Amino acid sequence: MAKENKTPQKKPKFSAWWIYGLIAIVLIGFQFFGSGNLASTKKTTTSELQEYLRNGDIDKILIITNTNQAKVFLSDEALLKDVHKDVSEKPLFPTTGSLPQYVLDYGDLQIFQNEITEIKKESNLDTIVEFDKESNLFMEMILTILPFVLIIGIWIYLMRRMSGGAGGGAGGQIFNIGKSKAKLFDEKTDTRTSFKDVAGLEGAKEEVEEIVEFLKNPDKYTSLGGKIPKGALLVGPPGTGKTLLAKAVAGEAKVPFFSLSGSDFVEMFVGVGASRVRDLFKQAKDKSPAIIFIDEIDAIGRARGKNNFTGSNDERENTLNQLLTEMDGFGTNTNVIVLAATNRADVLDKALMRAGRFDRQIYVDLPDIRERKEIFEVHLRPIKTAETLDLDFLARQTPGFSGADIANVCNEAALIAARKEKKAVTKQDFLDAVDRIVGGLEKKNKIITPGEKKTIAYHEAGHATVSWMLEHAAPLVKVTIVPRGQSLGAAWYLPEERLIVRPEQMKDEMCATLGGRAAEKVIFDKISTGALSDLEKVTKQARAMVTIYGLNDEIGNLTYYDSSGQNDYGFSKPYSEDTAQTIDREISKIIEEQYKRAIDVLQENKDKLTILAERLLEKEVIFKEDLEKIFGKRPFDKEIDEAGQEIVETESRAEEETTEENK
């Protein structure tokens, strides 16, 4: 006989919704039955109650003391009157005992009782007045059972979420919580980011490109005895493109790519983090060769034993220990590469940073002027720009900007141009976007008195004048007295991108920063609180000169800076009290010298300072060209321009020679 083909029927999935439905039915039933069916009971007022009482219509008043409510029962004769015909009908769902015809909320019990007693005495009534407390057995039962029903329902719901929505039965994977949450990218996944989308970062890009190349063509390296690196750590300030590099690796590598965040390992249950690490590496080994990317690894990679004062079990440390074992321990599979990113490399555990786990530390720094130009080219692709847009100019206008900042500038410029209903984004839109991001939103309606406006104008003109007269101060771009963000005015500079800074350069910058307060002193012989941010900046610079860079003769060639971040001095200092007093004295000395120097510069150019301030009051915004008309061309600009041009030409020749050699 032929066997019957029986298709196994799937078990119906368990649903917790029936619990919610049961609760709803119970509450509806209570509404109709448990509350005494007050649908036929009418609300009344105290004045109406007194009128009904004087007319002799009320048979009994039941005062509920714990709810400040009174129930009114009419006599049989009163029910026949037209005035009470709305409440004389029988209830839809009658219950044991008679129902009140009226109900009212009273205020003070003593006053309410006295009013009823007086009316009874005046009209010689025998109306019954009783006192009671609201007691509902059905409601008490519901309130007793309902919490347990809700707890059971929530527990079932959480268990189903933890098991990934598995069906009913003993085979449901309730403990799926220990599985890895990594997202898998493979060659079939649509990952559009590639190395072409990563502008700048030439050194970092070369490192990760080599890792991808090793996975694609390992014989090229192993034939010479090389080994694949086990891990690469991307370190750098926020917004410099660490995660973007990892996305490019996912798009370029033809191997499985597991991506997750450091916080994905952390859970409220003990042992879950270590379990997820084991499961992640097991999946990667099964699909090897593979790449694992852990973003913000400092969430689990912090140095162990620093903050564990209680001596109790530390889930994060257990997770880190498991990660250390998986990366370099017995039975480690060398075909799995770990990429990680962080901007807090100083807090990572030393065991995690050693060679054999993270063999390479790739520093992703802020882009220089050439890299900023390349980043602008990438982010300007989807933006409709004017033909005359100069990328070199934009790169010069954004010193210290990260890749994320440049992307924000491009987007903000497009929004500004759209707001002005332009057909294309122009150079001015980008300048406005830079001002918006650096200085904040322009506040045109801020109320400023004429006296305050004049003080602000001379303050900003003082900055501009001093910076124009000093060789090492940053060249000025524009000055404005239009309030932006928290500032009432601003002077915009184009700082030189230096790799090393000399004392005279720092002192010139400090002198220019103090030019605002110095101008107030020279013109008004008074100073104001407007120099707060200036004082904060110069104090930090002076302290750095004395305590970090060793640029002070009195302190000498000493530094109290710890680059490793391992020493936490707390309230103590790494120097004596005598040295602390010397440091404070030297900091004050440096600042006061530069303040006096700024006053001297402004005294010599007081007439030009006044012309500049008056023009600023008139126009509110002035540019470098206005300063050239007043002060003449800076004697230092030509030397700087020629030196910069020579550097560019030298780099261009070097690139051409390298290209010829490669050919």
Side-chain angles (χ1 to χ4, degrees), residues 251-488:
E252 294 283 349
K254 301 301 181 185
V255 296
F257 185 94
F258 295 87
S259 174
L260 76 166
S261 172
S263 60
D264 289 337
F265 293 108
V266 183
E267 193 61 71
M268 63 180 289
F269 302 107
V270 175
V272 170
S275 174
R276 286 179 176 173
V277 171
R278 286 191 295 270
D279 185 66
L280 171 63
F281 278 85
K282 181 179 180 299
Q283 293 181 40
K285 290 174 184 177
D286 292 341
K287 294 181 176 290
S288 65
I291 297 176
I292 295 173
F293 174 63
I294 305 175
D295 201 4
E296 305 296 345
I297 195 173
D298 52 279
I300 60 168
R302 287 176 176 266
R304 293 166 291 177
K306 276 197 169 184
N307 300 319
N308 192 8
F309 297 109
T310 61
S312 60
N313 179 67
D314 191 339
E315 177 65 14
R316 183 183 55 78
E317 287 193 6
N318 294 338
T319 306
L320 175 58
N321 290 335
Q322 186 63 43
L323 180 62
L324 296 175
T325 305
E326 294 289 347
M327 289 188 68
D328 187 24
F330 283 102
T332 303
N333 193 328
T334 56
N335 288 329
V336 176
I337 298 178
V338 180
L339 288 178
T342 181
N343 49 26
R344 295 292 310 278
D346 56 309
V347 302
L348 294 181
D349 195 276
K350 290 183 178 179
L352 186 65
M353 304 283 285
R354 74 160 174 84
R357 291 197 172 104
F358 284 113
D359 299 307
R360 299 181 179 182
Q361 293 184 32
I362 306 170
Y363 191 74
V364 185
D365 203 354
L366 291 171
D368 58 22
I369 186 168
R370 288 186 304 164
E371 291 173 334
R372 290 199 298 273
K373 180 182 177 182
E374 295 176 7
I375 296 172
F376 266 111
E377 290 175 353
V378 171
H379 292 296
L380 288 177
R381 287 174 191 168
I383 296 179
K384 216 182 207 182
T385 59
E387 295 180 359
T388 57
L389 196 59
D390 184 5
L391 296 185
D392 292 311
F393 174 78
L394 294 178
R396 289 195 302 271
Q397 293 295 316
T398 51
F401 277 44
S402 66
D405 293 330
I406 293 174
N408 193 20
V409 167
C410 295
N411 183 64
E412 194 69 35
L415 297 178
I416 291 173
R419 200 176 301 132
K420 296 177 181 177
E421 298 183 356
K422 293 183 179 180
K423 300 297 182 182
V425 185
T426 62
K427 171 182 172 182
Q428 187 58 44
D429 297 323
F430 281 94
L431 293 177
D432 293 341
V434 172
D435 294 351
R436 169 71 178 85
I437 291 171
V438 176
L441 183 65
E442 185 176 323
K443 297 180 179 179
K444 297 180 179 179
N445 299 326
K446 196 175 187 71
I447 300 175
I448 301 176
T449 63
E452 290 175 334
K453 193 171 184 179
K454 185 176 181 181
T455 302
I456 296 168
Y458 274 96
H459 183 102
E460 300 303 333
H463 285 305
T465 302
V466 176
S467 65
W468 194 266
M469 294 299 173
L470 299 181
E471 178 179 359
H472 301 293
L476 189 79
V477 176
K478 74 173 183 179
V479 187
T480 176
I481 57 173
V482 177
R484 280 186 178 273
Q486 298 295 324
S487 63
L488 299 175

Side-chain angles (χ1 to χ4, degrees), residues 33 44 63 107 133 136 140 189 221 230 237 265 282 285 305 308 338 367 373 400 463 493 557 575 635:
F33 301 103
T44 188
I63 300 175
K133 289 186 177 181
N136 193 315
E140 291 176 359
T189 307
Y221 300 90
K230 293 184 178 179
F265 293 108
K282 181 179 180 299
K285 290 174 184 177
N308 192 8
V338 180
K373 180 182 177 182
H463 285 305
Y493 301 96
N557 299 316
Y575 41 76

Side-chain angles (χ1 to χ4, degrees), residues 188-208:
K188 299 177 183 178
T189 307
D190 184 19
T191 53
R192 300 179 181 177
T193 306
S194 65
F195 287 129
K196 294 180 181 179
D197 300 315
V198 182
L201 309 179
E202 295 302 328
K205 190 161 60 173
E206 183 179 345
E207 294 276 357
V208 294

